[in-house]
Amino acid sequence: MKLDLGTLNRWNPGDQDFIAFDHQACVGCSACVRACVAGIWSMDKAGEQASLAPDYRQRCLECGACDQVCEARAIHFCYPPGGTGVIFEQG
Ligand code: SF4
Ligand code: SF4
């Protein structure tokens, strides 16, 4: 059976931030980049700091992994307000 991933979820992006990133606390370990399956985190050109994609509200899968792996506590994830964010329709 061929699975069409595009039918498994949809997004209803809100306008409120649900990920807070403390640039000053970031130590550049890149754990968030490796953990995020949605590719929302990246490192700056110098490889010293993480960066949160500006369109994360439209792409975040709300797994919370970035928050969990950041030992520097530079990332704080909380779920977006009800009715917004990713909506898993199957599974
Ligand atoms: S996991 Fe935390 S400390 Fe490491 S790069 Fe990401 S934000 Fe910075
Ligand atoms: S919550 Fe998950 S999908 Fe969203 S930015 Fe963090 S690691 Fe990526």
Side-chain angles (χ1 to χ4, degrees), residues 18-19 32 35-41 52 56 59-67 75 77:
F18 57 88
I19 296 177
C32 55
C36 181
V37 294
I40 283 167
W41 294 92
L52 176 64
Y56 81 88
R59 298 194 288 123
C60 178
L61 294 166
E62 301 170 25
C63 68
C66 51
D67 185 315
I75 299 172
F77 168 84

Side-chain angles (χ1 to χ4, degrees), residues 3 9-10 13 23 27 42-43 57 64 68 71-72 74 77 82 88:
L3 192 61
N9 54 53
R10 62 187 167 88
H23 294 262
V27 296
S42 59
M43 298 303 292
R57 292 185 210 87
Q68 292 295 310
E71 293 185 356
F77 168 84
F88 295 100

Side-chain angles (χ1 to χ4, degrees), residues 6-39:
T7 65
L8 295 180
N9 54 53
R10 62 187 167 88
W11 276 264
N12 179 24
D15 56 7
Q16 290 187 39
D17 283 319
F18 57 88
I19 296 177
F21 175 44
D22 181 350
H23 294 262
Q24 293 190 321
C26 176
V27 296
C29 70
S30 77
C32 55
V33 178
R34 295 191 300 275
C36 181
V37 294

